[in-house]
Amino acid sequence: MKKPYFPLFVDLSEKKVYVIGAGTIAKRRIRSLIDFTDHLTVVAPEVNPELNTLEQEGRIAILRKKFELKDIVDADLVIAATNDHTLNNDIYEYCIGENILVNVCNDKQKCDFYFPGLAMTDQVVVGVTANGTNHKMAKKVVEKIREMLGECL
């Protein structure tokens, strides 16, 4: 039996974070990360208006191009969120070889970390995961925590 993931809070403010892809899952990951880093780069040939707006606000950078491994040579953390399983695997193999933390969105066996459900206020951040297995339960727990945090304010 695999051990559960350890909940670790990390300062990403100066870390270089890359999200490869700009689909639905990539957008969710970007929304989760954007408040935690000043160096978030999206690599995708095309992006939607929401990501364009974030770029215009200076909150993310976008490389509008087909991904190449050289794009992440200076990365600290990479999210592979494309619909191309071969490309996601290539990203994973590169990151493992370079000791870059990686999350392959469509393969939990290729994830150094999971994305928690987040409940946040200005002074409190709570992350919840069900070890990547029961997303509905984790979501319910996050909703309850958000209610509790709202009561504390």
Side-chain angles (χ1 to χ4, degrees):
M1 183 173 125
K2 189 172 180 179
K3 292 183 179 186
Y5 279 56
F6 178 77
L8 178 69
F9 288 83
V10 178
D11 179 3
L12 294 178
S13 58
E14 295 301 319
K15 301 295 185 198
K16 293 177 183 170
V17 179
Y18 286 80
V19 177
I20 314 308
T24 303
I25 294 173
K27 286 189 299 183
R28 281 201 316 257
R29 299 301 181 247
I30 292 163
R31 283 187 213 117
S32 294
L33 288 164
I34 199 161
D35 290 329
F36 297 95
T37 181
D38 295 326
H39 305 283
L40 196 152
T41 301
V42 176
V43 183
E46 298 177 25
V47 298
N48 68 11
E50 178 184 354
L51 297 183
N52 284 326
T53 299
L54 292 172
E55 180 186 40
Q56 290 165 0
E57 294 171 350
R59 299 190 71 198
I60 65 172
I62 300 174
L63 300 177
R64 289 174 179 80
K65 62 187 282 302
K66 184 177 177 186
F67 173 78
E68 300 172 86
L69 289 174
K70 68 180 182 178
D71 296 331
I72 57 172
V73 71
D74 66 342
D76 294 301
L77 185 115
V78 172
I79 292 84
T82 77
N83 58 4
D84 181 335
H85 295 286
T86 301
L87 177 57
N88 287 347
N89 188 65
D90 290 347
I91 294 168
Y92 171 78
E93 293 292 333
Y94 176 82
C95 289
I96 293 301
E98 296 296 319
N99 292 314
I100 299 168
L101 290 174
V102 62
N103 175 290
V104 177
C105 292
N106 60 2
D107 188 344
K108 71 179 188 174
Q109 301 301 315
K110 295 179 180 174
C111 293
D112 290 325
F113 61 94
Y114 294 140
F115 274 81
L118 294 172
M120 294 175 49
T121 67
D122 290 341
Q123 298 179 12
V124 176
V125 177
V126 179
V128 176
T129 184
N131 288 329
T133 59
N134 191 336
H135 302 292
K136 288 182 182 180
M137 181 176 60
K139 186 175 181 177
K140 284 183 182 180
V141 171
V142 168
E143 289 170 3
K144 290 284 189 191
I145 292 170
R146 285 180 182 151
E147 288 174 23
M148 291 170 45
L149 288 174
E151 293 169 7
C152 293
L153 298 178

